[in-house]
Each structure stands twice: as C-alpha cells, then as structure tokens.
Amino acid sequence: MLDFPVWKRVLIWGLCVAGLLFAAPNLFYSRVETHNDAVQAIERTGTATPELEAEAGGWPSFLPSGLVNLGLDLRGGAHLLAEVHVTDVYADRMDNLWPEVRNALRAERDAIGTIRRQDGAPDELRIRVSRPENIQQAVQAVADLSSPIVSLTGVGARDFEVTSEGADIVVRLSEAEMTASDDRTMRQSLEIIRRRVDEAGTREPTIQRQGEDRILIQVPGIGSAQELKDLIGTTARLTFNEVTGRTTDEHQPVQPGEALLASMNEPGTFYAVDTAPVVSGEDLTDAQPSFDQNGRPAVSFRFNPGGARRFGDYTAEHIGEPFAIVLDDEVISAPVIQSHIAGGSGIITGNFSVEESTQLAVLLRAGALPAEMTFLEERTIGPELGADSIRAGALACAVAFVAVLAFMLASYGLFGIFANIALIINIGLIFGLLSLIGATLTLPGIAGIVLTIGMAVDANVLIFERIKEELKTARGPARAIELGYEKALSAIADANITTLITAGILYFMGSGPVKGFAITLGIGIITSVFTAIYVTRLIVLAWFARKRPKTLEV
C-alpha cells in the first residue's frame, strides 16, 4: 500500500488535471462558444474582421475550447420531419435518358421512320415511330442501352425495360432499379441536407433517416423552423438549357421534351427551353458569392472537367444564340453566347442582394436535392424551454450531489470526505470527456449523469466495508487498507462491467434520447471506477503517509 509507484501517482493526477482542464470551458459556456463561432467563421471565409478577431480573442488559444454541445431539448432550435418524393427522380431519369435513346433510334431510322417523343406518365419514356411494322427492331436497339444493376437486391436485373404498345416504344424503370433509385435518393438527400446545415455553421445537428422515405432533422441553436426550412427546403436545382423560343404568352403550347419557364428578371417574359440540360448543378465544383462588372451581387461558379467540356462544346457550336440559366424552374438569366467559353467557369447575375447571393452560393456548393420534400412536422423549440430543462436538470444534479455527499460523510466520516473529493473530480472528468469527444448533452443525458452520481460511490462503499472487515481480523491499518482495495476490486469490476455492457447495448440499438442517456451513463461508469479505485487510493495514501494513524475509524 505504501509503496504505490511514483509514476502511477503522476499518471493518475495528470489524467485528473487534464480532464478538469477539458471540462473548464463549460464554466464559461457563452464566452467560449462566441470564441469558437468566430474561429469557425474566420476559417470558413478566410478573412478576419476586427469584430471576429476580438471575439476569437475572448478565450486563450492555448487552453482547450471544446464544449459539451447542448441538444435540442436544452438549447432550443428547430425540429423538422420531411417526406422525400422519391418518385420525382423517375421523371428526371427519363428526361436524361431521352438524348441517348434518340441517338440510338436515329441509327434505325431507315427501318422505323421518323421518331417523336410523346407525353406519358412521369415514370415512363414514350416514343412514337412512323413505321410500326419494324418496331421490334427499335425496341431491341433501345433495350441494348440498358445495363445490369449493381445491387445485392437486384442481381441479374436491368435498369430499365422496353416494350411496344402499338406504334409507341415505352421505356420504364425496372422494379429493382426503382428500389435502388429510392435508396440512392434518400442517401443523397441525407448527405446534401447534412452539407447544407454544416455550411451554415451549426453544431451537432441530428439528421437521420426514418422509414422508407422520411428524414428527421433537428438543429439546436437555429432561430426557427422556417429558417431551417429556408436553408434545406430549397432544391437549388441549377441547369443550363438550350433556348428554343421566347414569348409573353404563358399558355403558349410547347413541343414534347420542352418546358415554358418564367423569367426572373423580365416580368411577363417566358422562355421555351429543352428539358434535357446541357450541364447541371451536379457538374459544379465550386460556387462563391461575388460581384459582376457593374458591382452588383452575383455568384461565380466553376465546372468539373466533364461539365467544362460539355459547356465549352455547346458554346462553340451555338455562338449568337441565347442560353438559359435555370434555377428551380425559373430562368434567372438568358445571355446570348458571344464566344467559345472554354474555361469551365462563369458568373450568375440577377436581382440578388448580398445575402441572397451568399445563400445561393451555399446551396449550389452543397448540391441540388434530388427530389422535392414535404415537411410533415415542424416545431420551433424556444431557448426558454431549454433553460427550464437545464435549471431542472442542474437542480436534480445538485440535490443528488448534496444528498450523496451528506450520506458518505455521515456513514464513513473522514473516509467519506475522501470519497466526496473523488466524486467532485468524477463529475469534472465526465464533462471533460464529453467535451473532448464533442458529445451532445440532452435531458436524458442529464438523467444519466444524475444516475452516475448515485452509482459513483458504490465502489467506495464496497472498499470501505471491506476495510472494516479486515480491521476486525486485527490487521494493522496499512494492511487493512491495502487488502480492502485489492479484495473489493473483483466485485467492483463485475458490477460495473455488466452495467457498461447494458449502456453499450442501449447506445448501439437505441436512438435519439436513449443514446444520450447511454453515453453519459457509460462515461460515468468509466470515470467513477477510475476515481473510486485510484483517486481515493492516492488520497488515502497521502493522508496515511502524513498522519501514520495507529487505528482507523471507517
């Protein structure tokens, strides 16, 4: 007992000091949060204004600045449940397939005659031929364009099926491809929403899939559900389309494969455009707010190599013709191509404010949502509710803490004080670890901390009771303390390992609030065992080496 190695003492106290240092920023939550937000803003924009520098200097840079993130129920924020219209992607797929099908049928024109796209269901592509007697030859030519699906659930299936109905060739997605498409749409929607929320600088959002076609979005700290909807609900679908006509009649009929879109900057003007885009927002590699040559807010963009090549080839072949830049089915600009644009970059101008150009750049950088979303639930949770929860949780922690301190003091006297010191360090270590891993604290998480406070002294109770048993066998104080810690270790390990396993199961199989409870419970178990076995042992060792008592009162 008295020969506890020096290196162990240094390591144990070092871990305690490090844990308390990582926990310290939470005592100055608002100040450190302002510092972190300013640092993130400087990193995101690459510029440091005097205001941002002053806010970033509000906390010493050499100290840890990690915080325990407050969840939606504590900090307030926005809650949305969105339904993704996965079937919208089918129509886009048919539109994108049409140019390829058209080229394949042109090679068969001698046998099938002229071809014309017909109106049909959104999830099908219907083409009429003038010589239906040879339609099977055309069907085979189109079917050869299909490809196998790379999917565990669709092994051996093709991505689309081709049939004939009278003089019409009908192309439809296969069932396996629709299933795979739905899954891709949901995955892409999740990723794009996450990127958009991250671009806005919010911390620790909850974005997860629910069921087949729903997404749960919870963002702490955001002002309102409408603000969150404005951020993620806009599809920001940017395309560059060929202009086939211009009119002031919004009811003017257009050819199949074309659409009549309103102009953003020219009220009462409508453009007929080819629905198959030359390039789309998916080809963008960057978009940044900027100013045009007249000093008006604009958005500059740059394409990837594939998009730059298609954009360059089109501009080279259509010099002197208008070219529509379409955002969310509205023509924001239709400039005339003056020359070959080979660099793969350009600028979007319109009646933007600085805020609108910045927001548009964020949405374009994050990518276009693949399908429209309908918000089934939307709630704004005010910070007052979170403040009430924090106060209630803090009161519960304080009551539990004081009650445990009083019980240990009354039951074990001086050794109870040692256990209480370890309990205080234990709470600091819990918050230090939560800050280190960037965990989110929710109301169930506070419940886990309160439970930990009650459980943390269990190990000390086992140790102290064991020391009492050893003292009854007429052993000396030093030997009784040493055996008390050694013989209680197995019981402490068994009890806490089973609880830790339960916390792990709750974390991996639970979701939301259950995970928050499991995280604080699991961390609390680890820190309470550490403080009970090692920290109290060091405190008792230091006291015993100084006092050298002949008897013990435990």
Side-chain angles (χ1 to χ4, degrees):
M1 171 66 192
L2 300 180
D3 296 328
F4 208 63
V6 175
W7 69 268
K8 282 189 178 181
R9 303 185 195 188
V10 173
L11 178 60
I12 292 168
W13 287 124
L15 289 174
C16 291
V17 171
L20 295 176
L21 277 176
F22 279 107
N26 294 286
L27 298 174
F28 310 93
Y29 198 94
S30 298
R31 181 176 169 186
V32 178
E33 185 179 38
T34 300
H35 161 83
N36 291 343
D37 291 343
V39 171
Q40 290 178 5
I42 292 173
E43 292 176 350
R44 190 166 58 247
T45 61
T47 58
T49 63
E51 293 81 7
L52 288 177
E53 289 181 341
E55 292 177 353
W59 181 256
S61 59
F62 60 87
L63 290 178
S65 58
L67 292 171
V68 177
N69 301 304
L70 299 181
L72 190 67
D73 52 357
L74 297 181
R75 192 180 184 186
H79 164 102
L80 296 176
L81 180 63
E83 182 180 42
V84 182
H85 298 180
V86 292
T87 55
D88 290 353
V89 178
Y90 304 159
D92 291 340
R93 180 71 182 276
M94 293 296 100
D95 287 338
N96 294 332
L97 185 63
W98 165 236
E100 191 175 355
V101 171
R102 180 176 55 196
N103 291 337
L105 292 178
R106 280 173 178 169
E108 307 294 333
R109 184 164 291 179
D110 291 341
I112 62 175
T114 59
I115 59 173
R116 182 178 294 275
R117 181 176 180 179
Q118 303 296 307
D119 291 330
D123 59 347
E124 70 178 21
L125 177 62
R126 187 176 290 268
I127 308 104
R128 179 161 297 174
V129 300
S130 61
R131 296 179 186 173
E133 62 272 11
N134 296 323
I135 197 170
Q136 291 305 317
Q137 185 174 339
V139 168
Q140 185 59 47
V142 176
D144 290 341
L145 298 175
S146 66
S147 57
I149 297 175
V150 183
S151 171
L152 294 177
T153 58
V155 176
R158 312 290 289 187
D159 57 352
F160 61 83
E161 301 167 347
V162 187
T163 58
S164 61
E165 296 180 5
D168 291 348
I169 302 169
V170 182
V171 183
R172 294 187 180 93
L173 295 178
S174 65
E175 290 292 334
E177 175 61 18
M178 285 192 286
T179 300
S181 175
D182 293 349
D183 185 64
R184 287 194 302 268
T185 301
M186 291 300 297
R187 289 176 181 271
Q188 186 179 353
S189 298
L190 280 168
E191 180 60 26
I192 289 173
I193 291 172
R194 186 172 290 110
R195 287 167 60 185
R196 289 186 180 182
V197 172
D198 289 344
E199 283 275 1
T202 55
R203 296 189 301 128
E204 292 303 316
T206 298
I207 303 169
Q208 59 190 29
R209 182 172 178 175
Q210 284 196 343
E212 295 295 325
D213 58 357
R214 295 183 179 184
I215 298 176
L216 174 67
I217 309 141
Q218 294 179 332
V219 182
I222 202 165
S224 66
Q226 186 59 48
E227 184 179 343
L228 182 56
K229 286 172 62 178
D230 291 341
L231 179 63
I232 66 173
T234 306
T235 57
R237 182 183 176 88
L238 179 72
T239 58
F240 296 78
N241 303 64
E242 178 182 356
V243 175
T244 58
R246 176 177 173 176
T247 181
T248 56
D249 180 9
E250 62 177 318
H251 301 294
Q252 177 175 310
V254 293
Q255 297 295 325
E258 296 180 356
L260 193 65
L261 304 179
S263 172
M264 177 187 293
N265 299 324
E266 303 172 83
T269 300
F270 299 86
Y271 288 90
V273 301
D274 193 325
T275 55
V278 178
V279 285
S280 68
E282 295 177 358
D283 298 306
L284 286 176
T285 58
D286 191 27
Q288 297 292 339
S290 61
F291 294 92
D292 63 13
Q293 59 186 1
N294 297 317
R296 295 175 298 186
V299 176
S300 58
F301 62 88
R302 185 170 64 252
F303 290 122
N304 59 26
R309 183 178 62 255
R310 293 195 300 275
F311 187 63
D313 292 345
Y314 184 87
T315 56
E317 296 171 1
H318 296 80
I319 294 175
E321 299 178 10
F323 190 53
I325 302 174
V326 181
L327 178 68
D328 293 337
D329 294 329
E330 189 173 22
V331 178
I332 60 176
S333 181
V336 175
I337 301 172
Q338 302 292 343
S339 61
H340 176 211
I341 304 174
S345 61
I347 189 169
I348 301 171
T349 59
N351 293 326
F352 301 132
S353 65
V354 174
E355 291 78 10
E356 289 171 341
S357 67
T358 302
Q359 182 76 351
L360 176 58
V362 167
L363 296 175
L364 294 179
R365 273 201 310 275
L369 284 169
E372 185 182 353
M373 293 193 305
T374 300
F375 295 102
L376 306 177
E377 291 180 15
E378 54 180 276
R379 295 198 300 270
T380 300
I381 300 175
E384 310 82 26
L385 297 176
D388 291 342
S389 299
I390 293 174
R391 282 193 294 270
L395 179 61
C397 287
V399 171
F401 192 69
V402 171
V404 171
L405 293 181
F407 173 81
M408 293 301 292
L409 180 61
S411 300
Y412 299 102
L414 181 61
F415 277 69
I417 294 176
F418 297 157
N420 291 339
I421 294 173
L423 180 59
I424 295 172
I425 295 175
N426 180 34
I427 301 301
L429 292 179
I430 291 174
F431 279 92
L433 281 174
L434 291 174
S435 300
L436 183 63
I437 65 176
T440 299
L441 183 64
T442 60
L443 202 55
I446 292 179
I449 293 176
V450 175
L451 179 60
T452 299
I453 292 174
M455 296 171 56
V457 294
D458 285 355
N460 288 122
V461 170
L462 289 172
I463 293 170
F464 296 160
E465 291 298 325
R466 189 68 196 188
I467 291 175
K468 285 182 179 181
E469 294 296 325
E470 295 300 328
L471 288 172
K472 292 178 182 179
T473 62
R475 299 182 186 276
R479 185 62 177 163
I481 292 173
E482 185 172 10
L483 290 175
Y485 276 94
E486 289 180 359
K487 292 186 177 181
L489 182 60
S490 60
I492 294 171
D494 290 344
N496 286 280
I497 286 175
T498 53
T499 309
L500 189 61
I501 291 172
T502 303
I505 293 172
L506 287 174
Y507 178 80
F508 288 108
M509 300 190 68
S511 63
V514 176
K515 280 192 173 185
F517 175 80
I519 289 173
T520 54
L521 178 62
I523 290 176
I525 292 169
I526 295 170
T527 56
S528 61
V529 170
F530 170 76
T531 53
I533 294 177
Y534 295 104
V535 175
T536 58
R537 189 170 182 174
L538 279 183
I539 296 173
V540 171
L541 172 62
W543 168 79
F544 192 88
R546 182 182 179 88
K547 296 295 185 179
R548 294 285 179 173
K550 299 300 183 182
T551 60
L552 290 179
E553 293 185 6
V554 181

